[in-house]
Amino acid sequence: MQEKISVLAATSAKVGLIIHKEKTKILKILKTNLSNINPITLNGTPLEEVQLFTYLGGIIDQQGGTDADVKARIGKERVAFMQLKNIWACRELTLTTKIRLFNSNVKSVLLYYADTWGITKTTNRRIQTFINSCLRRIFHNLWPDTISKTNLWERTCQLSSEAEIWKRRWGLIGHTLSKPPTNITRWNKHLVMQP
């Protein structure tokens, strides 16, 4: 990494670009406990190491970021969902309209970038629980009234969160495979699908 930073700084300087040392941060995604790694420097100045970093709206931490990102997204979407509570309570709007609004304003933002997440059963359960609770509120099906999740999904025309994420992943891999074999995105090891 040190070598790449040095080459980047030298190449940038040739065209008149300067890397801002205070704005440049280092995040090490650790697979093992490596405590005595030399600090990465830029022109002799050590760069600040951070525990997590937000990039293009997604949170990345030292474990790769999925759990932190999912937790943050659910928190943001809970606020967005509650801001629309007047719409969910409105008797003049049809259930179909409310579900379309939920899919476009809440679910799509929640699952943004989900095709690149490393989903575990716990993470998937957390996402699905949030979606189910939102659908039950829209459907006005609150405790003690019960409805099975399968029946809820059928009545609201929803896929499970796991199926939705796989659908997005297949869309991403289809988009990637449509590029020429020489394109760099075809070489990305993170796009390899594993069921």
Side-chain angles (χ1 to χ4, degrees), residues 30-93:
L30 301 175
K31 299 293 183 188
T32 60
N33 188 7
L34 302 171
S35 56
N36 55 355
I37 297 177
N38 294 333
I40 297 175
T41 61
L42 179 62
N43 298 330
T45 306
L47 295 174
E48 180 186 352
E49 285 191 36
V50 294
Q51 302 298 317
L52 60 92
F53 190 81
T54 302
Y55 180 71
L56 297 177
I59 296 175
I60 303 166
D61 62 10
Q62 289 185 324
Q63 286 72 41
T66 300
D67 291 334
D69 195 25
V70 168
K71 186 176 180 181
R73 283 195 184 277
I74 288 175
K76 289 175 186 176
E77 290 315 301
R78 184 171 282 119
V79 171
F81 182 80
M82 293 311 292
Q83 287 177 340
L84 298 172
K85 66 182 176 183
N86 292 338
I87 290 176
W88 311 137
C90 181
R91 300 286 182 187
E92 289 138 18
L93 294 175

Side-chain angles (χ1 to χ4, degrees), residues 14-183:
K14 287 179 184 177
V15 294
L17 299 174
I18 299 171
I19 299 174
H20 197 285
K21 294 174 189 172
E22 287 78 30
K23 292 182 180 178
T24 305
K25 313 288 183 208
I26 299 293
L27 172 73
K28 295 177 183 174
I29 298 178
L30 301 175
K31 299 293 183 188
T32 60
N33 188 7
L34 302 171
S35 56
N36 55 355
I37 297 177
N38 294 333
I40 297 175
T41 61
L42 179 62
N43 298 330
T45 306
L47 295 174
E48 180 186 352
E49 285 191 36
V50 294
Q51 302 298 317
L52 60 92
F53 190 81
T54 302
Y55 180 71
L56 297 177
I59 296 175
I60 303 166
D61 62 10
Q62 289 185 324
Q63 286 72 41
T66 300
D67 291 334
D69 195 25
V70 168
K71 186 176 180 181
R73 283 195 184 277
I74 288 175
K76 289 175 186 176
E77 290 315 301
R78 184 171 282 119
V79 171
F81 182 80
M82 293 311 292
Q83 287 177 340
L84 298 172
K85 66 182 176 183
N86 292 338
I87 290 176
W88 311 137
C90 181
R91 300 286 182 187
E92 289 138 18
L93 294 175
T94 65
L95 179 63
T96 306
T97 303
K98 291 178 185 180
I99 294 301
R100 288 179 67 191
L101 286 169
F102 171 74
N103 287 340
S104 64
N105 294 340
V106 178
K107 191 175 177 184
S108 65
V109 179
L110 172 69
L111 296 179
Y112 172 74
Y113 213 59
D115 45 359
T116 61
W117 289 344
I119 297 291
T120 63
K121 287 185 180 184
T122 305
T123 305
N124 188 47
R125 189 170 32 247
R126 184 180 295 159
I127 294 168
Q128 191 63 61
T129 300
F130 172 72
I131 292 173
N132 289 348
S133 68
C134 291
L135 291 174
R136 283 188 168 96
R137 282 184 176 265
I138 292 169
F139 201 72
H140 301 293
N141 183 256
L142 303 173
W143 189 86
D145 297 333
T146 58
I147 183 173
S148 71
K149 62 182 179 184
T150 308
N151 194 5
L152 179 68
W153 297 344
E154 285 176 10
R155 293 181 77 175
T156 56
C157 300
Q158 299 290 307
L159 295 173
S160 70
S161 60
E162 184 178 21
E164 184 77 33
I165 290 169
W166 274 107
K167 182 179 172 184
R168 289 169 181 254
R169 284 183 178 178
W170 282 113
L172 177 65
I173 195 70
H175 174 73
T176 303
L177 292 176
S178 69
K179 296 185 181 270
T182 56
N183 191 300

